[in-house]
Amino acid sequence: MSHMSVLHWSPLTSEKHEVIDLQGHVAPCVKHEGNFYEGFYRTHVSTLAVKNNLLVAGGFQGELICKFLDREGISYCSKSTHDDNGITNCLEIFEKPSGSVHFLASNNDCGLRDFDMEKFQMCNHFHFDWAVNHTSLSPDGKIIAVVGDNPDGVLVDASSGKVIHELSGHLDYSFASAWNPDGRT
């Protein structure tokens, strides 16, 4: 991010080029159900994720902007929440066992949402009693570690959102989580 632009910088050539200009109006060029066709103006980005050819930017007002890097234009825009405190805190792009591309969006409105990028729609919305600051999907894709504005985090089933296990012991809120590749830690 630099001056309202998402940039790609190559460490090999030290060259940069603009991927998304957020200074003005950003709107999807593809029609999909659930797409926010009006787009957004001057989106302030709070978090980014890039994996393979997908870039997802999350905004301070719950905006989500998705761009496939091998395609022209913006593929998908969505407003994940209309809550005044809906900042997008974390994004994680992943592939389901079926091969479909998804991403998780964690928000201050206490929500965790799973978006399907093959169908361009939200397929799950899990709600917690506290702002969700960060999530991490287990290596096998079955469990999500969820931490936020609560000293205790939780492990939830990635399909149902049901709490599997509480993670206690922290003395304050948490803002990051990660899995060991063994999937147990």
Side-chain angles (χ1 to χ4, degrees):
M1 285 299 306
S2 178
H3 303 290
M4 300 290 293
S5 291
V6 177
L7 303 174
H8 175 262
W9 176 75
S10 169
L12 300 175
T13 64
S14 293
E15 294 178 7
K16 63 182 174 182
H17 73 272
E18 188 172 69
V19 178
I20 304 174
D21 178 5
L22 299 164
Q23 193 93 1
H25 184 237
V26 175
C29 63
V30 183
K31 296 208 180 272
H32 298 286
E33 185 178 328
N35 226 344
F36 193 71
Y37 297 113
E38 297 82 13
F40 306 113
Y41 290 91
R42 298 188 53 82
T43 302
H44 293 275
V45 171
S46 55
T47 187
L48 282 171
V50 180
K51 187 170 187 179
N52 299 332
N53 282 322
L54 178 62
L55 179 146
V56 183
F60 280 84
Q61 304 298 315
E63 305 96 333
L64 294 170
I65 300 169
C66 303
K67 175 171 179 44
F68 284 96
L69 299 173
D70 59 348
R71 302 178 196 168
E72 289 295 317
I74 303 298
S75 296
Y76 182 72
C77 285
S78 179
K79 188 115 163 116
S80 61
T81 181
H82 294 285
D83 191 287
D84 289 339
N85 194 21
I87 185 172
T88 308
N89 291 319
C90 176
L91 297 164
E92 182 175 7
I93 301 168
F94 64 98
E95 206 171 288
K96 295 283 250 188
S98 67
S100 65
V101 177
H102 285 237
F103 72 88
L104 294 174
S106 308
N107 293 78
N108 253 25
D109 72 344
C110 305
L112 169 59
R113 295 161 178 88
D114 178 357
F115 288 85
D116 182 335
M117 288 289 79
E118 304 295 319
K119 298 176 183 174
F120 292 97
Q121 64 186 10
M122 182 172 58
C123 54
N124 272 321
H125 179 192
F126 308 132
H127 191 269
F128 299 89
D129 293 333
W130 29 265
V132 180
N133 294 330
H134 197 268
T135 55
S136 296
L137 187 66
S138 64
D140 66 5
K142 295 180 180 178
I143 301 172
I144 305 169
V146 183
V147 298
D149 288 2
N150 186 332
D152 297 334
V154 291
L155 298 178
V156 300
D157 179 275
S159 298
S160 68
K162 180 182 175 194
V163 174
I164 297 169
H165 185 73
E166 290 192 20
L167 304 170
S168 57
H170 272 235
L171 301 177
D172 204 349
Y173 299 165
S174 296
F175 295 90
S177 60
W179 285 89
N180 183 305
D182 71 9
R184 294 183 352 205
T185 308

